Amino acid sequence: MKKQVCKVVFPAAGLGTRFLPATKAQPKEMMPLVDKPIIQYGVEEALASGCDQIIIVTGRGKSAIEDHFDVSYELEKMLEERGKTDLLAIVRQISEMIHIAYVRQKEAMGLGHAVLMARELVGDEPFAVILADDIIDAQVPCLKQMIEIYNETGCSVLATQVIEGKAISSYGVLDAKPVPGKWNGRLFEVQNLVEKPKVEDAPSNLAIIGRYILTPAIFEMLDSTPLGAGGELQLTDGLKQLLKKEKIYGYTFEGKRHDTGDKLGFLKATVEFALKRDDLGAEFRQYLKTLEL
Ligand code: UTP
């Protein structure tokens, strides 16, 4: 019987240079969208998708992530004494949410290298990777949609999104053909992958987004892949090796993706998430209307 996807790896050891100076002493994964750190959105998506084993790949200066998901006795005691039961519940809910394992990437040697660091904790089973920067607002969690595809195909699945114009050059891009059938044109069989192509060289407008279901064979591939662009071990290069052995699918998920690793994307997501909040939305909307735009 096919093994189920239970483990989710969160690579969170990157340097976050696009958000300097905010990320000089603070992990970008801890930057809040309204009042919740971006990585918590990803962890909640994993849980809502039925994955209860979380592995976070951290690096230097990332201890705030561990503290965030840990118990904070002093804070809980203080909130209890002051009778702040609502806040106490929010704080407790985070540490009670789940058990998280941490593994360290000593040097930021690329996304592929970060994933490889989780090899022992993942073992010989399929697993998911979530890049916390990509927050996907969806009725059915994006990861859950992808797990459904994995359960049918038994193959690795990459989340994809159509990106128009020049912006495609910032992504890994798929050369892929649509799979006919019940998938409403959303499923593609990957023929090749190209990392950050020039617009004129892009094989399609299907960009790889920060959600992956991977078979454990990826570890062997990454282990034998030489360092690529920027002296980093690229996940895309490992996937190209994997493609020689196994089928890989691309899946254009249903839902809205916010690229919070980018300043403009982060601002847009903040506005949209704030507008949706029961406690803030109405007042915030009124405020926005008063701005002379
Ligand atoms: P990014 O390409 O967004 O890089 O990494 P970054 O360092 O986080 O941010 P910028 O571009 O400098 O602003 C994609 C994901 O891979 C992780 C990052 O933490 C992020 O989740 N990553 C990247 C690692 O864990 N280790 C690495 O060596 C590189």
Side-chain angles (χ1 to χ4, degrees):
M1 226 183 79
K2 250 196 330 272
K3 287 185 183 160
Q4 297 295 303
V5 179
C6 303
K7 296 180 179 170
V8 184
V9 175
F10 285 81
L15 302 174
T17 52
R18 282 172 292 168
F19 268 99
L20 281 168
T23 46
K24 185 178 172 212
Q26 174 199 212
K28 88 172 164 183
E29 295 77 12
M30 288 302 296
M31 300 209 347
L33 259 198
V34 187
D35 53 9
K36 202 195 286 184
I38 62 169
I39 194 164
Q40 193 178 329
Y41 288 89
V43 169
E44 288 175 359
E45 179 183 329
L47 290 178
S49 305
C51 299
D52 58 0
Q53 298 183 50
I54 305 291
I55 298 162
I56 302 184
V57 183
T58 64
R60 251 190 301 284
K62 300 279 184 167
S63 54
I65 299 176
E66 293 178 46
D67 291 342
H68 179 70
F69 290 107
D70 197 1
V71 178
S72 174
Y73 291 107
E74 298 80 6
L75 180 62
E76 287 185 19
K77 189 162 170 277
M78 186 270 282
L79 292 173
E80 210 165 7
E81 282 167 5
R82 296 188 184 173
K84 309 253 185 204
T85 46
D86 292 0
L87 292 176
L88 185 61
I90 290 173
V91 167
R92 281 204 176 132
Q93 187 232 333
I94 301 166
S95 54
E96 284 166 2
M97 199 184 308
I98 201 162
H99 172 74
I100 300 183
Y102 295 91
V103 61
R104 210 147 157 119
Q105 184 189 24
K106 288 187 185 144
E107 226 182 304
M109 285 174 66
L111 177 57
H113 185 259
V115 171
L116 189 54
M117 294 298 100
R119 184 177 194 167
E120 278 180 32
L121 289 173
V122 170
D124 189 27
E125 54 186 279
F127 64 103
V129 174
I130 290 186
L131 304 188
D133 287 11
D134 277 334
I135 292 188
I136 297 173
D137 196 9
Q139 243 172 5
V140 176
C142 177
L143 198 62
K144 193 170 182 181
Q145 299 175 39
M146 294 171 70
I147 289 175
E148 205 177 301
I149 311 269
Y150 170 80
N151 288 341
E152 293 230 1
T153 61
C155 296
S156 297
V157 186
L158 318 177
T160 66
Q161 185 186 17
V162 170
I163 299 283
E164 304 290 358
K166 281 190 299 192
I168 195 76
S169 300
S170 312
Y171 293 86
V173 182
L174 298 185
D175 178 1
K177 58 173 198 234
V179 176
K182 63 176 177 176
W183 304 105
N184 296 328
R186 291 183 175 275
L187 191 63
F188 295 84
E189 189 183 329
V190 177
Q191 313 292 304
N192 194 14
L193 308 103
V194 189
E195 182 65 17
K196 301 192 173 72
K198 287 189 195 147
V199 192
E200 58 273 24
D201 298 336
S204 75
N205 55 10
L206 285 178
I208 306 174
I209 302 303
R211 301 282 182 284
Y212 308 74
I213 308 275
L214 299 171
T215 60
I218 189 69
F219 292 125
E220 214 183 301
M221 303 299 134
L222 286 170
D223 207 20
S224 57
T225 300
L227 299 184
E232 296 190 340
L233 181 51
Q234 303 289 346
L235 182 56
T236 309
D237 290 341
L239 289 168
K240 278 173 109 161
Q241 295 304 322
L242 185 65
L243 193 55
K244 293 181 187 162
K245 285 188 71 178
E246 297 179 358
K247 275 188 185 177
I248 300 180
Y249 288 99
Y251 175 68
T252 40
F253 53 89
E254 289 182 52
K256 182 163 186 185
R257 170 231 179 194
H258 297 276
D259 177 9
T260 65
D262 168 77
K263 281 178 203 163
L264 190 57
F266 184 85
L267 289 171
K268 288 178 185 172
T270 302
V271 171
E272 288 197 31
F273 277 68
L275 285 172
K276 278 198 200 184
R277 286 271 296 249
D278 290 341
D279 57 341
L280 293 168
E283 248 182 278
F284 189 46
R285 189 176 306 273
Q286 284 308 319
Y287 165 72
L288 291 178
K289 282 184 181 162
T290 66
L291 297 178
E292 286 176 25
L293 298 172

